[in-house]
């Protein structure tokens, strides 16, 4: 039986109190890319940032992006748009 895979989806939502410009800059630094590449993520539509992730890796991305101001969600690969809740996973440290 194969392991479940997830994708990291972003809908343009920011952490409360974070500015759009600062979040874009921080996410660009995280992914080591140019700001114009990151601009494509902020359309308000569903954007898959990464896919084929295991649970632990998905949680690390969620925490790292939230720390930089972007609210993402983890979705099952076969269920786009349906968030996965990993409440049991609380020991994953942000990067």
């Amino acid at each position: 039986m194969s392991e479940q895979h997830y994708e990291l989806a972003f809908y343009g939502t920011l952490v409360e109190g974070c500015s759009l410009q600062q979040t874009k800059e921080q996410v660009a630094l995280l992914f080591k890319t140019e700001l114009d590449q990151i601009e494509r993520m902020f359309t308000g539509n569903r954007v898959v940032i990464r896919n084929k992730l295991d649970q632990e890796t998905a949680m690390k991305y969620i925490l790292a992006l939230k720390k930089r101001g972007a609210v993402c969600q983890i979705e099952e690969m076969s269920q786009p748009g349906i968030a996965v809740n990993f409440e049991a996973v609380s020991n994953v440290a942000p990067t």
Side-chain angles (χ1 to χ4, degrees):
M1 187 172 168
S2 67
E3 180 181 331
Q4 177 66 46
H5 287 114
Y6 304 96
E7 53 193 17
L8 184 67
F10 179 64
Y11 293 87
T13 305
L14 301 180
V15 172
E16 189 174 332
C18 290
S19 77
L20 179 60
Q21 188 61 34
Q22 185 178 20
T23 299
K24 288 177 181 179
E25 291 169 3
Q26 290 298 310
V27 171
L29 287 172
L30 175 67
F31 289 114
K32 298 178 180 149
T33 189
E34 299 295 320
L35 194 56
D36 62 332
Q37 292 278 78
I38 297 302
E39 292 284 343
R40 299 179 205 166
M41 288 175 46
F42 291 84
T43 63
N45 296 321
R46 180 178 185 269
V47 175
V48 175
I49 298 172
R50 295 282 190 265
N51 62 14
K52 297 183 183 175
L53 300 170
D54 59 52
Q55 180 177 332
E56 183 179 350
T57 304
M59 284 303 299
K60 286 180 181 179
Y61 272 112
I62 286 284
L63 295 171
L65 285 158
K66 186 175 183 179
K67 180 178 173 183
R68 288 158 179 87
V71 177
C72 297
Q73 70 181 38
I74 300 167
E75 300 172 354
E76 288 185 34
M77 288 287 294
S78 61
Q79 301 294 319
I82 300 173
V84 176
N85 187 352
F86 293 132
E87 287 297 320
V89 181
S90 60
N91 61 349
V92 179
T95 55

Coordinates of all heavy atoms in Angstrom, one line a residue:
M1 N 0.8 -1.2 0.0 CA 0.0 0.0 0.0 C 0.9 1.3 0.0 O 1.8 1.4 0.8 CB -0.9 0.0 1.2 CG -1.9 1.1 1.3 SD -3.0 0.7 2.7 CE -3.8 2.3 2.7
S2 N 0.6 2.2 -0.9 CA 1.4 3.4 -0.9 C 1.0 4.4 0.1 O -0.1 4.5 0.5 CB 1.4 4.0 -2.4 OG 0.1 4.5 -2.6
E3 N 2.0 5.3 0.4 CA 1.7 6.3 1.4 C 0.9 7.4 0.8 O 1.0 7.7 -0.4 CB 3.1 6.9 1.8 CG 3.0 8.0 2.8 CD 4.4 8.6 3.2 OE1 5.3 7.8 3.1 OE2 4.4 9.8 3.5
Q4 N 0.0 8.0 1.6 CA -0.8 9.1 1.1 C 0.0 10.3 0.8 O 0.9 10.7 1.5 CB -1.9 9.5 2.2 CG -2.7 10.7 1.8 CD -3.7 10.4 0.7 OE1 -4.3 9.4 0.6 NE2 -3.7 11.3 -0.3
H5 N -0.3 11.0 -0.3 CA 0.4 12.2 -0.7 C -0.5 13.4 -0.7 O -1.7 13.3 -0.9 CB 1.0 12.1 -2.1 CG 2.2 11.2 -2.2 ND1 2.2 10.0 -2.9 CD2 3.4 11.2 -1.7 CE1 3.3 9.4 -2.7 NE2 4.1 10.1 -2.0
Y6 N 0.1 14.5 -0.4 CA -0.7 15.8 -0.2 C -0.1 16.9 -1.1 O 1.0 16.8 -1.6 CB -0.6 16.2 1.2 CG -1.1 15.2 2.2 CD1 -0.2 14.3 2.8 CD2 -2.4 15.0 2.4 CE1 -0.6 13.3 3.7 CE2 -2.9 14.0 3.3 CZ -2.0 13.2 3.9 OH -2.4 12.2 4.7
E7 N -0.9 17.9 -1.3 CA -0.4 19.1 -2.0 C -0.6 20.3 -1.1 O -1.5 20.3 -0.3 CB -1.0 19.2 -3.4 CG -2.5 19.2 -3.4 CD -3.0 19.1 -4.8 OE1 -2.3 18.7 -5.7 OE2 -4.2 19.3 -5.0
L8 N 0.2 21.3 -1.3 CA 0.2 22.5 -0.6 C -0.5 23.5 -1.4 O 0.0 23.9 -2.5 CB 1.6 23.0 -0.2 CG 1.7 24.2 0.7 CD1 1.2 23.9 2.1 CD2 3.2 24.6 0.7
A9 N -1.7 24.0 -1.0 CA -2.5 25.0 -1.8 C -2.5 26.3 -1.1 O -2.6 26.4 0.1 CB -3.9 24.4 -2.0
F10 N -2.5 27.4 -1.9 CA -2.5 28.7 -1.4 C -3.7 29.5 -2.2 O -3.8 29.4 -3.4 CB -1.2 29.4 -1.6 CG -1.1 30.8 -1.2 CD1 -1.3 31.2 0.2 CD2 -0.9 31.9 -2.1 CE1 -1.2 32.5 0.6 CE2 -0.9 33.2 -1.7 CZ -1.0 33.5 -0.3
Y11 N -4.5 30.2 -1.4 CA -5.6 30.9 -2.0 C -5.5 32.4 -1.8 O -6.5 33.1 -2.0 CB -6.9 30.4 -1.3 CG -7.3 29.0 -1.6 CD1 -6.8 27.9 -0.9 CD2 -8.1 28.7 -2.7 CE1 -7.1 26.6 -1.1 CE2 -8.4 27.3 -3.0 CZ -7.9 26.3 -2.2 OH -8.2 25.0 -2.5
G12 N -4.3 32.9 -1.5 CA -4.1 34.3 -1.3 C -4.4 34.9 0.0 O -4.3 36.1 0.2
T13 N -4.7 34.0 1.0 CA -5.0 34.5 2.3 C -3.7 34.8 3.1 O -2.8 34.0 3.1 CB -5.8 33.4 3.1 OG1 -7.0 33.1 2.3 CG2 -6.2 33.9 4.5
L14 N -3.7 35.9 3.8 CA -2.6 36.3 4.6 C -2.9 36.1 6.1 O -4.0 36.2 6.5 CB -2.2 37.8 4.4 CG -1.9 38.2 3.0 CD1 -1.6 39.7 2.9 CD2 -0.7 37.4 2.4
V15 N -1.8 36.0 6.9 CA -1.9 35.9 8.3 C -2.4 37.3 8.8 O -1.9 38.3 8.2 CB -0.6 35.6 9.0 CG1 -0.6 35.7 10.5 CG2 -0.1 34.1 8.6
E16 N -3.3 37.4 9.7 CA -3.8 38.7 10.2 C -2.6 39.5 10.6 O -1.8 39.1 11.4 CB -4.8 38.4 11.3 CG -5.5 39.7 11.7 CD -6.6 39.5 12.7 OE1 -7.1 38.3 12.8 OE2 -6.8 40.4 13.5
G17 N -2.6 40.8 10.2 CA -1.6 41.7 10.6 C -0.4 41.8 9.7 O 0.5 42.6 9.8
C18 N -0.3 40.9 8.7 CA 0.8 40.8 7.8 C 0.5 41.6 6.5 O -0.6 41.6 6.0 CB 1.2 39.4 7.4 SG 1.9 38.5 8.7
S19 N 1.5 42.4 6.0 CA 1.2 43.1 4.8 C 1.5 42.3 3.6 O 2.3 41.3 3.6 CB 2.1 44.4 4.7 OG 3.5 44.0 4.4
L20 N 0.8 42.6 2.5 CA 0.9 41.8 1.3 C 2.3 41.9 0.7 O 2.9 40.9 0.4 CB -0.1 42.4 0.2 CG -0.1 41.7 -1.1 CD1 -0.4 40.2 -1.0 CD2 -1.1 42.4 -2.1
Q21 N 2.9 43.1 0.7 CA 4.2 43.2 0.1 C 5.3 42.5 0.9 O 6.1 41.8 0.4 CB 4.6 44.7 0.0 CG 5.9 45.0 -0.8 CD 5.8 44.4 -2.2 OE1 4.8 44.5 -2.9 NE2 7.0 43.9 -2.7
Q22 N 5.2 42.6 2.2 CA 6.2 41.9 3.1 C 6.0 40.4 3.0 O 7.0 39.7 2.9 CB 6.0 42.4 4.5 CG 7.0 41.8 5.5 CD 6.9 42.3 6.9 OE1 5.8 42.7 7.3 NE2 7.9 42.2 7.7
T23 N 4.8 39.9 2.9 CA 4.6 38.5 2.7 C 5.2 38.0 1.4 O 5.9 37.0 1.4 CB 3.1 38.2 2.8 OG1 2.6 38.5 4.1 CG2 2.9 36.7 2.6
K24 N 5.0 38.7 0.3 CA 5.5 38.4 -1.0 C 7.1 38.3 -0.9 O 7.7 37.4 -1.4 CB 5.1 39.4 -2.0 CG 3.6 39.2 -2.4 CD 3.3 40.3 -3.5 CE 1.9 40.3 -3.8 NZ 1.5 41.3 -4.8
E25 N 7.6 39.3 -0.3 CA 9.1 39.3 -0.2 C 9.6 38.2 0.7 O 10.6 37.6 0.3 CB 9.5 40.7 0.5 CG 9.3 41.9 -0.5 CD 9.5 43.2 0.2 OE1 9.8 43.3 1.4 OE2 9.2 44.2 -0.5
Q26 N 9.0 37.9 1.8 CA 9.4 36.8 2.7 C 9.3 35.4 2.0 O 10.1 34.6 2.1 CB 8.6 36.8 4.0 CG 8.9 38.0 4.9 CD 10.4 37.9 5.3 OE1 10.9 36.9 5.8 NE2 11.1 39.1 5.1
V27 N 8.2 35.2 1.2 CA 8.0 34.0 0.5 C 9.0 33.8 -0.6 O 9.5 32.7 -0.8 CB 6.5 33.9 0.0 CG1 6.4 32.7 -0.9 CG2 5.5 33.8 1.2
A28 N 9.3 34.9 -1.3 CA 10.4 34.9 -2.3 C 11.7 34.5 -1.7 O 12.4 33.7 -2.3 CB 10.5 36.2 -3.0
L29 N 12.0 35.0 -0.5 CA 13.3 34.6 0.1 C 13.2 33.1 0.5 O 14.2 32.4 0.4 CB 13.5 35.5 1.4 CG 13.9 36.9 1.2 CD1 13.9 37.7 2.5 CD2 15.3 37.0 0.5
L30 N 12.1 32.7 1.0 CA 12.0 31.3 1.4 C 12.2 30.3 0.3 O 13.0 29.4 0.4 CB 10.6 31.0 2.0 CG 10.2 29.6 2.3 CD1 11.1 29.1 3.5 CD2 8.8 29.4 2.7
F31 N 11.7 30.6 -0.9 CA 11.8 29.8 -2.1 C 13.0 30.1 -2.9 O 13.2 29.5 -4.0 CB 10.5 29.8 -2.9 CG 9.4 29.0 -2.2 CD1 8.3 29.7 -1.8 CD2 9.5 27.7 -2.0 CE1 7.2 29.0 -1.2 CE2 8.4 27.0 -1.4 CZ 7.3 27.7 -1.0
K32 N 13.8 31.2 -2.5 CA 15.0 31.6 -3.2 C 14.7 31.9 -4.7 O 15.3 31.3 -5.6 CB 16.1 30.5 -3.1 CG 16.5 30.3 -1.6 CD 17.5 29.3 -1.5 CE 17.9 29.2 0.0 NZ 18.3 27.9 0.4
T33 N 13.7 32.7 -4.9 CA 13.3 33.1 -6.2 C 13.0 34.6 -6.3 O 13.0 35.3 -5.3 CB 12.0 32.3 -6.6 OG1 11.8 32.5 -8.0 CG2 10.8 32.7 -5.8
E34 N 12.7 35.0 -7.5 CA 12.5 36.5 -7.7 C 11.0 36.8 -7.3 O 10.1 35.9 -7.4 CB 12.7 36.8 -9.2 CG 14.1 36.6 -9.7 CD 15.1 37.5 -9.0 OE1 14.8 38.7 -8.8 OE2 16.2 37.0 -8.7
L35 N 10.8 38.0 -7.0 CA 9.5 38.5 -6.5 C 8.4 38.3 -7.6 O 7.3 38.0 -7.3 CB 9.6 40.0 -6.1 CG 8.4 40.5 -5.3 CD1 8.1 39.7 -4.1 CD2 8.7 42.0 -4.9
D36 N 8.8 38.5 -8.9 CA 7.8 38.3 -10.0 C 7.3 36.9 -10.1 O 6.2 36.7 -10.5 CB 8.4 38.9 -11.3 CG 9.6 38.1 -11.8 OD1 10.4 37.6 -11.0 OD2 9.8 38.1 -13.0
Q37 N 8.1 35.9 -9.7 CA 7.7 34.5 -9.7 C 6.6 34.4 -8.6 O 5.6 33.7 -8.8 CB 8.8 33.6 -9.4 CG 9.8 33.5 -10.5 CD 9.4 32.6 -11.6 OE1 8.6 32.9 -12.4 NE2 9.9 31.4 -11.5
I38 N 6.8 35.0 -7.5 CA 5.9 34.9 -6.3 C 4.6 35.6 -6.6 O 3.5 35.2 -6.1 CB 6.6 35.4 -5.1 CG1 7.8 34.6 -4.7 CG2 5.6 35.5 -3.9 CD1 7.5 33.1 -4.5
E39 N 4.6 36.7 -7.4 CA 3.4 37.4 -7.7 C 2.3 36.5 -8.2 O 1.1 36.8 -8.0 CB 3.7 38.5 -8.7 CG 4.6 39.7 -8.2 CD 3.9 40.6 -7.3 OE1 2.6 40.7 -7.3 OE2 4.6 41.4 -6.6
R40 N 2.7 35.5 -9.0 CA 1.7 34.6 -9.6 C 0.9 33.8 -8.5 O -0.2 33.4 -8.8 CB 2.4 33.6 -10.5 CG 3.1 34.2 -11.6 CD 3.8 33.2 -12.4 NE 4.9 33.8 -13.1 CZ 5.8 33.2 -13.7 NH1 5.9 31.8 -13.7 NH2 6.8 33.8 -14.3
M41 N 1.4 33.7 -7.3 CA 0.7 33.0 -6.2 C -0.4 33.8 -5.7 O -1.3 33.3 -5.1 CB 1.7 32.7 -5.1 CG 2.7 31.7 -5.4 SD 3.9 31.5 -4.0 CE 2.9 31.4 -2.6
F42 N -0.4 35.1 -5.8 CA -1.3 36.0 -5.1 C -2.5 36.5 -6.0 O -2.8 37.7 -6.0 CB -0.5 37.2 -4.5 CG 0.4 36.8 -3.4 CD1 1.6 36.3 -3.6 CD2 -0.1 36.9 -2.1 CE1 2.5 35.9 -2.6 CE2 0.7 36.5 -1.0 CZ 2.0 36.0 -1.3
T43 N -3.1 35.6 -6.7 CA -4.2 35.9 -7.6 C -5.5 35.8 -6.9 O -6.5 36.3 -7.3 CB -4.2 35.0 -8.8 OG1 -4.4 33.6 -8.3 CG2 -3.0 35.0 -9.6
G44 N -5.5 35.1 -5.7 CA -6.8 34.8 -5.0 C -7.4 33.5 -5.4 O -8.3 33.0 -4.8
N45 N -6.9 32.9 -6.5 CA -7.3 31.6 -7.0 C -6.5 30.5 -6.3 O -5.4 30.8 -5.8 CB -7.2 31.5 -8.5 CG -8.1 32.5 -9.2 OD1 -9.2 32.7 -8.8 ND2 -7.6 33.0 -10.3
R46 N -6.9 29.3 -6.4 CA -6.1 28.2 -5.9 C -4.8 28.0 -6.6 O -4.8 27.9 -7.9 CB -7.0 26.9 -5.9 CG -6.3 25.7 -5.4 CD -7.2 24.5 -5.5 NE -6.7 23.3 -4.9 CZ -5.9 22.4 -5.5 NH1 -5.7 22.6 -6.8 NH2 -5.4 21.4 -4.9
V47 N -3.7 28.0 -5.9 CA -2.4 27.8 -6.5 C -1.7 26.7 -5.7 O -1.6 26.8 -4.5 CB -1.5 29.1 -6.4 CG1 -0.1 28.8 -6.9 CG2 -2.2 30.2 -7.2
V48 N -1.3 25.6 -6.4 CA -0.6 24.5 -5.8 C 0.8 24.9 -5.8 O 1.5 25.1 -6.8 CB -0.9 23.2 -6.5 CG1 0.0 22.1 -5.9 CG2 -2.3 22.8 -6.4
I49 N 1.4 25.0 -4.6 CA 2.8 25.4 -4.4 C 3.7 24.2 -4.5 O 4.7 24.2 -5.2 CB 3.0 26.1 -3.1 CG1 2.2 27.4 -3.0 CG2 4.5 26.4 -2.8 CD1 2.1 28.1 -1.7
R50 N 3.3 23.1 -3.9 CA 4.1 21.8 -3.9 C 3.1 20.7 -3.9 O 2.0 20.8 -3.4 CB 5.0 21.7 -2.7 CG 6.1 22.7 -2.6 CD 7.2 22.3 -3.6 NE 8.4 23.1 -3.4 CZ 8.7 24.2 -4.1 NH1 8.0 24.6 -5.0 NH2 9.9 24.8 -3.8
N51 N 3.4 19.6 -4.5 CA 2.6 18.4 -4.5 C 3.4 17.2 -4.2 O 4.6 17.2 -4.1 CB 1.8 18.3 -5.8 CG 2.6 18.1 -7.0 OD1 3.8 17.8 -7.0 ND2 2.0 18.2 -8.2
K52 N 2.7 16.1 -4.1 CA 3.4 14.8 -3.7 C 4.2 14.9 -2.4 O 5.3 14.4 -2.4 CB 4.2 14.3 -4.9 CG 3.4 14.0 -6.1 CD 4.2 13.5 -7.2 CE 3.4 13.3 -8.5 NZ 4.1 12.8 -9.6
L53 N 3.6 15.5 -1.4 CA 4.3 15.7 -0.2 C 3.8 14.7 0.8 O 2.6 14.3 0.8 CB 4.0 17.1 0.4 CG 4.4 18.3 -0.4 CD1 3.8 19.6 0.2 CD2 5.9 18.4 -0.5
D54 N 4.7 14.2 1.7 CA 4.3 13.4 2.8 C 3.7 14.3 3.9 O 3.9 15.5 3.8 CB 5.4 12.5 3.3 CG 6.6 13.3 3.8 OD1 6.4 14.2 4.6 OD2 7.7 12.9 3.4
Q55 N 3.1 13.8 4.9 CA 2.5 14.6 6.0 C 3.5 15.5 6.7 O 3.2 16.7 6.9 CB 1.8 13.6 7.0 CG 1.1 14.4 8.1 CD 0.4 13.4 9.0 OE1 -0.1 12.4 8.6 NE2 0.2 13.8 10.3
E56 N 4.6 14.9 7.1 CA 5.6 15.7 7.8 C 6.1 16.9 7.0 O 6.2 18.0 7.5 CB 6.7 14.8 8.2 CG 7.8 15.6 9.1 CD 8.9 14.7 9.5 OE1 8.8 13.5 9.4 OE2 9.9 15.2 10.0
T57 N 6.4 16.7 5.7 CA 6.9 17.7 4.9 C 5.9 18.8 4.6 O 6.1 20.0 4.6 CB 7.4 17.1 3.5 OG1 8.4 16.1 3.8 CG2 8.0 18.2 2.6
A58 N 4.6 18.3 4.4 CA 3.5 19.3 4.2 C 3.4 20.2 5.4 O 3.2 21.4 5.3 CB 2.2 18.5 3.9
M59 N 3.4 19.6 6.6 CA 3.3 20.5 7.8 C 4.5 21.5 7.9 O 4.3 22.6 8.4 CB 3.3 19.6 9.1 CG 1.9 18.9 9.3 SD 0.5 20.0 9.4 CE 1.0 21.0 10.8
K60 N 5.7 21.1 7.6 CA 6.8 22.0 7.6 C 6.6 23.2 6.7 O 6.9 24.3 7.0 CB 8.1 21.2 7.2 CG 8.6 20.3 8.4 CD 9.8 19.6 8.0 CE 10.3 18.7 9.1 NZ 11.5 18.0 8.8
Y61 N 6.1 22.9 5.5 CA 5.7 24.0 4.6 C 4.7 24.9 5.1 O 4.8 26.1 5.1 CB 5.3 23.4 3.2 CG 6.4 23.2 2.2 CD1 6.7 21.9 1.9 CD2 7.1 24.2 1.7 CE1 7.7 21.6 1.0 CE2 8.1 23.9 0.8 CZ 8.4 22.6 0.4 OH 9.4 22.4 -0.5
I62 N 3.6 24.3 5.7 CA 2.5 25.1 6.3 C 3.1 26.1 7.3 O 2.8 27.3 7.3 CB 1.5 24.2 6.9 CG1 0.6 23.5 5.8 CG2 0.6 25.0 7.9 CD1 -0.4 24.4 5.2
L63 N 3.9 25.6 8.2 CA 4.4 26.4 9.3 C 5.4 27.4 8.8 O 5.4 28.6 9.2 CB 5.1 25.5 10.3 CG 4.1 24.6 11.1 CD1 4.9 23.6 12.0 CD2 3.1 25.4 11.9
A64 N 6.3 27.0 7.8 CA 7.2 28.0 7.3 C 6.6 29.1 6.6 O 7.0 30.3 6.7 CB 8.2 27.3 6.4
L65 N 5.5 28.8 5.8 CA 4.8 29.9 5.1 C 4.0 30.8 6.0 O 3.9 32.0 5.8 CB 4.0 29.3 4.0 CG 4.8 28.8 2.8 CD1 4.1 27.7 2.0 CD2 5.1 30.0 1.9
K66 N 3.4 30.1 7.0 CA 2.6 30.9 8.0 C 3.5 31.9 8.7 O 3.1 33.1 8.9 CB 1.9 30.0 8.9 CG 1.0 30.7 9.9 CD 0.2 29.8 10.7 CE -0.8 30.5 11.6 NZ -1.6 29.6 12.5
K67 N 4.7 31.5 9.0 CA 5.7 32.3 9.7 C 6.0 33.5 8.9 O 6.3 34.6 9.4 CB 6.9 31.5 10.0 CG 8.0 32.2 10.7 CD 9.2 31.2 10.9 CE 10.4 31.9 11.5 NZ 11.5 31.0 11.6
R68 N 5.9 33.4 7.6 CA 6.2 34.5 6.6 C 5.0 35.2 6.2 O 5.1 36.1 5.3 CB 7.0 33.9 5.5 CG 8.4 33.5 5.9 CD 9.0 32.5 5.0 NE 10.4 32.2 5.4 CZ 10.7 31.3 6.4 NH1 9.7 30.6 6.9 NH2 11.9 31.1 6.7
G69 N 3.8 34.9 6.7 CA 2.6 35.6 6.4 C 1.6 35.0 5.5 O 0.5 35.6 5.2
A70 N 1.9 33.9 4.9 CA 1.0 33.2 3.9 C 0.2 32.0 4.6 O 0.9 31.2 5.2 CB 1.7 32.7 2.7
V71 N -1.1 32.1 4.5 CA -1.9 31.0 5.1 C -2.2 30.0 3.9 O -2.9 30.3 3.0 CB -3.2 31.5 5.6 CG1 -4.1 30.3 6.1 CG2 -3.0 32.5 6.7
C72 N -1.6 28.8 4.1 CA -1.8 27.7 3.1 C -2.6 26.6 3.7 O -2.9 26.6 4.9 CB -0.5 27.2 2.6 SG 0.6 28.4 1.8
Q73 N -3.0 25.7 2.9 CA -3.7 24.5 3.4 C -3.2 23.3 2.7 O -2.7 23.3 1.6 CB -5.2 24.6 3.3 CG -5.8 24.5 2.0 CD -7.4 24.7 2.1 OE1 -7.9 25.4 2.9 NE2 -8.1 23.9 1.3
I74 N -3.3 22.2 3.4 CA -2.8 20.9 2.9 C -4.1 20.2 2.4 O -5.1 20.1 3.1 CB -2.2 20.0 4.0 CG1 -0.9 20.8 4.5 CG2 -1.8 18.7 3.5 CD1 -0.4 20.2 5.8
E75 N -4.0 19.7 1.2 CA -5.1 19.0 0.5 C -4.6 17.6 0.0 O -3.5 17.5 -0.4 CB -5.7 19.8 -0.6 CG -6.2 21.1 -0.2 CD -6.6 22.1 -1.3 OE1 -6.4 21.7 -2.5 OE2 -7.1 23.1 -1.0
E76 N -5.5 16.6 0.1 CA -5.2 15.3 -0.4 C -5.0 15.5 -1.9 O -5.8 16.2 -2.6 CB -6.3 14.3 -0.1 CG -6.3 13.9 1.3 CD -7.3 12.8 1.6 OE1 -7.5 11.9 0.7 OE2 -7.9 12.8 2.7
M77 N -4.1 14.7 -2.5 CA -3.8 14.8 -3.9 C -5.1 14.5 -4.8 O -5.3 15.2 -5.7 CB -2.7 13.8 -4.3 CG -1.3 14.2 -3.9 SD -0.6 15.6 -4.8 CE -0.4 14.9 -6.4
S78 N -5.9 13.6 -4.3 CA -7.1 13.3 -5.1 C -8.3 14.1 -4.7 O -9.4 13.9 -5.3 CB -7.4 11.8 -4.9 OG -7.7 11.6 -3.5
Q79 N -8.2 15.0 -3.8 CA -9.3 15.8 -3.3 C -9.0 17.3 -3.3 O -9.0 18.0 -2.3 CB -9.7 15.4 -1.9 CG -10.1 14.0 -1.7 CD -11.4 13.6 -2.5 OE1 -12.3 14.4 -2.5 NE2 -11.4 12.5 -3.1
P80 N -8.7 17.9 -4.5 CA -8.4 19.4 -4.5 C -9.5 20.2 -3.9 O -10.7 20.0 -4.2 CB -8.1 19.7 -6.0 CG -8.7 18.6 -6.7 CD -8.8 17.4 -5.8
G81 N -9.1 21.2 -3.1 CA -10.1 22.1 -2.5 C -10.6 21.6 -1.1 O -11.2 22.4 -0.4
I82 N -10.3 20.4 -0.7 CA -10.7 19.9 0.6 C -9.5 19.8 1.5 O -8.6 19.1 1.3 CB -11.3 18.5 0.4 CG1 -12.6 18.6 -0.5 CG2 -11.7 17.9 1.8 CD1 -13.2 17.2 -0.8
A83 N -9.5 20.7 2.5 CA -8.4 20.8 3.4 C -8.3 19.5 4.3 O -9.3 18.9 4.7 CB -8.5 22.0 4.3
V84 N -7.0 19.2 4.6 CA -6.7 18.1 5.5 C -6.3 18.7 6.9 O -5.5 19.6 6.9 CB -5.6 17.2 5.0 CG1 -5.2 16.1 6.0 CG2 -5.9 16.6 3.7
N85 N -6.9 18.2 7.9 CA -6.6 18.7 9.3 C -5.7 17.7 10.0 O -6.1 16.6 10.3 CB -7.9 18.9 10.1 CG -7.7 19.6 11.4 OD1 -6.5 19.8 11.8 ND2 -8.7 20.0 12.0
F86 N -4.5 18.2 10.3 CA -3.5 17.3 11.0 C -3.4 17.8 12.5 O -2.3 18.0 12.9 CB -2.2 17.4 10.4 CG -2.1 16.8 9.0 CD1 -1.5 17.5 7.9 CD2 -2.6 15.5 8.7 CE1 -1.5 16.9 6.7 CE2 -2.6 15.0 7.5 CZ -2.0 15.6 6.5
E87 N -4.5 17.9 13.2 CA -4.4 18.4 14.6 C -3.5 17.5 15.4 O -2.9 18.0 16.4 CB -5.8 18.4 15.2 CG -6.7 19.5 14.7 CD -6.1 20.9 15.0 OE1 -5.6 21.1 16.1 OE2 -6.2 21.8 14.1
A88 N -3.4 16.2 15.1 CA -2.5 15.3 15.9 C -1.1 15.6 15.7 O -0.2 15.2 16.5 CB -2.8 13.9 15.5
V89 N -0.7 16.3 14.7 CA 0.7 16.6 14.4 C 1.0 18.0 14.9 O 0.8 19.0 14.3 CB 1.0 16.6 12.9 CG1 2.5 16.9 12.6 CG2 0.6 15.2 12.3
S90 N 1.5 18.1 16.1 CA 1.8 19.4 16.7 C 3.3 19.5 17.1 O 3.7 20.6 17.5 CB 0.9 19.6 18.0 OG 1.2 18.6 18.9
N91 N 4.1 18.5 16.9 CA 5.5 18.5 17.3 C 6.4 18.9 16.1 O 7.6 18.8 16.3 CB 5.9 17.2 17.9 CG 5.7 16.0 16.9 OD1 5.1 16.2 15.8 ND2 6.2 14.9 17.3
V92 N 5.9 19.3 15.0 CA 6.7 19.7 13.8 C 7.1 21.1 14.0 O 6.3 22.0 14.1 CB 5.9 19.5 12.5 CG1 6.8 19.9 11.3 CG2 5.5 18.0 12.3
A93 N 8.4 21.3 14.1 CA 8.9 22.7 14.3 C 9.0 23.5 13.0 O 9.3 22.9 12.0 CB 10.3 22.6 14.9
P94 N 8.7 24.8 13.0 CA 8.8 25.6 11.8 C 10.2 25.8 11.4 O 11.1 25.7 12.2 CB 8.1 26.9 12.2 CG 8.2 26.9 13.7 CD 8.2 25.5 14.2
T95 N 10.4 26.0 10.1 CA 11.8 26.2 9.6 C 12.1 27.7 9.5 O 11.2 28.5 9.5 CB 12.0 25.5 8.2 OG1 11.0 26.0 7.4 CG2 12.0 24.0 8.4

